Amino acid sequence: MVENTNKVTRPSENHNNERDRKRFFNVICVIVLVFALIIPCVITTCQFTNSVSATVTINSVSSIDGKNPDGTPFSIMELFSDDTLSSAVEKLNGIMSVQELRSHLNVSDTLNGETFSEFEQGVLNGEEENNYFPTQYSVTYSTISEQIKYEGFGAQCKSLWRSLFLPSKTKILNVVLQSYIEQYSKAHLDYESLFDTDWDAIDSMDYYNRFDAIQKTVWRFQRFLQYKSKQNFTGYGNGAANGFYDLIVKLSQGPEKNIENFQAYITQHGVTNDKEELLRQFEYMQQLCQEEETRKTKEYLVLREAIEMYDSSTTKVVFIPALDGEDSFYMSRTKVGLDYLSEKADAAKIAADDAGYSAKHYIYLQNCFSNDYIIDDDGNRIQVKNTQAQRDHADKLYSALKNELVNFSAELQLLTSQGSQLQQEEIVLGNTYSNASIVSIVISLVKKYVLILTACFVVFYVYRIIDVKIKNKGKEETK
């Protein structure tokens, strides 16, 4: 009787097992379906809202030559400088560090097809000077930037979590760009710093150091004038300032000559307020230059030795297009690898020669200021050095040179302020925009759903095969 009872209840147990399997399968299907609908949306949203961008257009005349308005080389990488990002972090109330903010930023040039075509045609025409400098850039702030992707999955998760507690990406990017404009204006458009010479500090220096400080000021004026003279502002000044080119001539005929005379006098007569301190300064600079010469000479010798030992079997010979003297294309034969080493060796040799020349100059200065007498070619003492009368005369030369530069600086400042009023805005910021679009989001979602449905179909098909086998096996056991 017991055996018969077991045989009767076994089909019922199989039926319950089958019902449990179906119920379990239905639950799994619902869970998978929910995740299949939610996860693609989340992933797509993260992908297409990961970053925002804005255009930065350099709108000054100087940008054509790749220069800033003050004549210095333009570099969009100033956007990543500590000054710019520190200012942005301060505006964001210090919610993130400079390094963290930098890791989310990226910049790339926006290539203008028409401009690049002109550049390309110029190369084909064999023009000797034909350079292309981008004038428009795209600045992007990304929650997960390329740098963060490189750091691994953990860094990506951390960045996503941090983004929940940060302001919007648009706000952060706008703050960064505004800080960049402020720092750029301060560095390249605020000409007050160009004309701001600390004469009190220079007055307190020894005579030779005064010459050195004044010479740097003159060089700064020279570079600014030479660049500004190319911007066609001539005629917008008044009085003696009839143009930047006229000021170049005035600078060369006045302060440049007078500063040379001032240097020659104090060097020849050994004029100084503190002889021992000045000699120690020259000796220290001599040692620095000699150390630099030794270091660069060793670098040059190592590179030359590496070039001589270069295995010809590992040197790849390539042919690159070049222009001959008649502006015709030909294939130039070169060895990849050796060119780089040769350039580095040449640069090291030039640096070593410059350092050696500077060291010899400081030795010469030590000889000039250490001797108490001016000595002629026959070795005879002609005149005593560094007398009170000589210092008084040096003071007169310095005062005249100082007044001349103060007046010149005021004249240059006036002309610059008049000319700058004619210029358009130097940098123009475009509106921020997202890299996402409705069409791209829909297409991405469709692709993901197709893949998920395909995977679900395969899983369902496999499940049905397994389910049929289990049912058949159950029937055989029932029999």
Side-chain angles (χ1 to χ4, degrees):
M1 290 296 294
V2 175
E3 183 177 353
N4 291 338
T5 301
N6 291 337
K7 288 182 179 179
V8 172
T9 59
R10 187 174 296 166
S12 176
E13 292 177 358
N14 290 337
H15 177 72
N16 291 335
N17 291 336
E18 181 181 354
R19 185 176 60 188
D20 292 340
R21 282 199 308 273
K22 289 183 177 180
R23 184 180 300 165
F24 176 76
F25 177 73
N26 291 335
V27 172
I28 294 298
C29 287
V30 171
I31 294 174
V32 171
L33 181 61
V34 170
F35 277 95
L37 293 174
I38 294 177
I39 291 178
C41 292
V42 173
I43 294 175
T44 303
T45 302
C46 291
Q47 286 179 338
F48 285 93
T49 61
N50 177 54
S51 61
V52 292
S53 302
T55 57
V56 176
T57 303
I58 314 303
N59 203 33
S60 62
V61 178
S62 55
S63 62
I64 299 175
D65 299 324
K67 299 290 184 65
N68 295 309
D70 60 353
T72 58
F74 174 80
S75 174
I76 191 63
M77 300 310 291
E78 290 182 6
L79 185 142
F80 295 94
S81 68
D82 289 340
D83 291 337
T84 299
L85 297 185
S86 295
S87 175
V89 168
E90 184 177 352
K91 289 183 175 67
L92 293 170
N93 299 320
I95 59 175
M96 60 197 312
S97 66
V98 170
Q99 188 62 34
E100 181 183 2
L101 179 57
R102 185 182 285 118
S103 67
H104 290 280
L105 295 171
N106 184 48
V107 64
S108 60
D109 63 287
T110 304
L111 193 62
N112 184 306
E114 182 178 352
T115 304
F116 188 76
S117 297
E118 295 177 0
F119 164 74
E120 186 179 28
Q121 187 60 43
V123 174
L124 294 174
N125 293 339
E127 297 178 8
E128 294 183 2
E129 295 185 2
N130 197 50
N131 299 319
Y132 174 72
F133 297 99
T135 57
Q136 190 175 75
Y137 298 86
S138 176
V139 182
T140 302
Y141 177 90
S142 304
T143 301
I144 302 178
S145 62
E146 292 299 324
Q147 178 180 339
I148 295 176
K149 289 180 181 178
Y150 178 78
E151 293 175 358
F153 182 74
Q156 298 177 38
C157 294
K158 180 181 178 181
S159 179
L160 283 174
W161 175 254
R162 279 279 293 149
S163 66
L164 299 177
F165 306 96
L166 295 175
S168 67
K169 292 182 285 292
T170 300
K171 179 180 179 180
I172 295 176
L173 181 60
N174 285 332
V175 168
V176 170
L177 294 178
Q178 188 59 43
S179 298
Y180 171 63
I181 293 296
E182 293 173 0
Q183 294 298 321
Y184 183 89
S185 299
K186 182 179 179 181
H188 305 296
L189 301 179
D190 183 9
Y191 299 121
E192 294 298 327
S193 59
L194 174 70
F195 310 113
D196 186 15
T197 302
D198 190 353
W199 289 108
D200 291 336
I202 296 177
D203 291 342
S204 64
M205 297 178 182
D206 203 343
Y207 291 94
Y208 189 86
N209 293 332
R210 292 182 198 177
F211 152 73
D212 191 49
I214 293 175
Q215 186 178 54
K216 291 178 181 178
T217 300
V218 171
W219 285 344
R220 191 166 69 245
F221 287 160
Q222 281 179 335
R223 186 177 67 237
F224 179 74
L225 283 169
Q226 288 172 358
Y227 187 75
K228 277 294 184 180
S229 65
K230 301 177 183 179
Q231 296 189 358
N232 298 322
F233 290 135
T234 302
Y236 292 101
N238 53 20
N242 292 319
F244 288 104
Y245 180 77
D246 294 335
L247 288 183
I248 292 178
V249 176
K250 186 174 182 177
L251 183 65
S252 63
Q253 293 178 349
E256 288 185 29
K257 286 186 177 180
N258 292 335
I259 196 174
E260 291 176 359
N261 295 334
F262 178 68
Q263 179 204 18
Y265 184 84
I266 61 176
T267 302
Q268 181 182 7
H269 294 85
V271 179
T272 175
N273 290 327
D274 190 338
K275 179 178 178 180
E276 297 301 325
E277 179 64 25
L278 187 63
L279 290 176
R280 282 195 295 269
Q281 174 186 326
F282 290 152
E283 184 179 1
Y284 174 73
M285 295 303 299
Q286 173 200 339
Q287 292 175 354
L288 288 182
C289 292
Q290 288 175 338
E291 290 174 1
E292 179 69 7
E293 180 186 18
T294 301
R295 184 163 54 250
K296 289 298 180 179
T297 300
K298 290 181 179 179
E299 179 182 345
Y300 169 74
L301 294 176
V302 169
L303 289 170
R304 293 303 306 175
E305 184 179 358
I307 293 173
E308 293 173 0
M309 296 174 60
Y310 216 95
D311 188 353
S312 59
S313 62
T314 63
T315 305
K316 183 179 180 180
V317 177
V318 297
F319 291 88
I320 59 173
L323 290 171
D324 60 15
E326 299 179 354
D327 292 338
S328 299
F329 276 107
Y330 73 98
M331 300 307 291
S332 175
R333 185 175 184 271
T334 183
K335 288 187 175 183
V336 178
L338 290 185
D339 291 342
Y340 173 76
L341 291 178
S342 298
E343 291 177 0
K344 294 287 288 183
D346 292 341
K349 183 65 167 62
I350 293 173
D353 292 342
D354 290 342
Y357 173 80
S358 297
K360 292 178 181 178
H361 178 66
Y362 284 114
I363 293 175
Y364 165 76
L365 291 175
Q366 291 178 64
N367 292 332
C368 291
F369 284 88
S370 61
N371 293 328
D372 295 328
Y373 298 92
I374 298 177
I375 302 175
D376 61 12
D377 296 337
D378 297 329
N380 300 319
R381 296 178 177 178
I382 300 176
Q383 186 180 2
V384 178
K385 286 185 176 182
N386 199 26
T387 64
Q388 184 60 47
Q390 292 169 348
R391 288 193 293 271
D392 291 341
H393 183 69
D395 286 333
K396 291 180 181 179
L397 293 176
Y398 169 71
S399 297
L401 181 59
K402 174 183 175 180
N403 292 333
E404 190 175 21
L405 283 174
V406 168
N407 294 333
F408 182 87
S409 177
E411 196 172 349
L412 176 58
Q413 187 173 9
L414 175 63
L415 180 60
T416 302
S417 62
Q418 292 173 345
S420 62
Q421 295 175 359
L422 304 175
Q423 301 180 64
Q424 297 179 352
E425 192 172 4
E426 301 291 349
I427 293 183
V428 178
L429 297 180
N431 295 327
T432 56
Y433 59 90
S434 174
N435 296 320
S437 66
I438 300 298
V439 176
S440 59
I441 291 176
V442 171
I443 292 175
S444 179
L445 281 174
V446 169
K447 289 180 179 179
K448 290 181 175 63
Y449 283 135
V450 168
L451 291 175
I452 290 174
L453 290 174
T454 302
C456 289
F457 175 78
V458 171
V459 171
F460 179 75
Y461 183 75
V462 172
Y463 170 79
R464 291 299 301 167
I465 293 175
I466 296 174
D467 187 56
V468 170
K469 289 184 177 181
I470 292 175
K471 286 181 179 180
N472 293 335
K473 184 177 180 182
K475 290 179 181 179
E476 292 177 358
E477 291 178 354
T478 301
K479 293 179 180 180

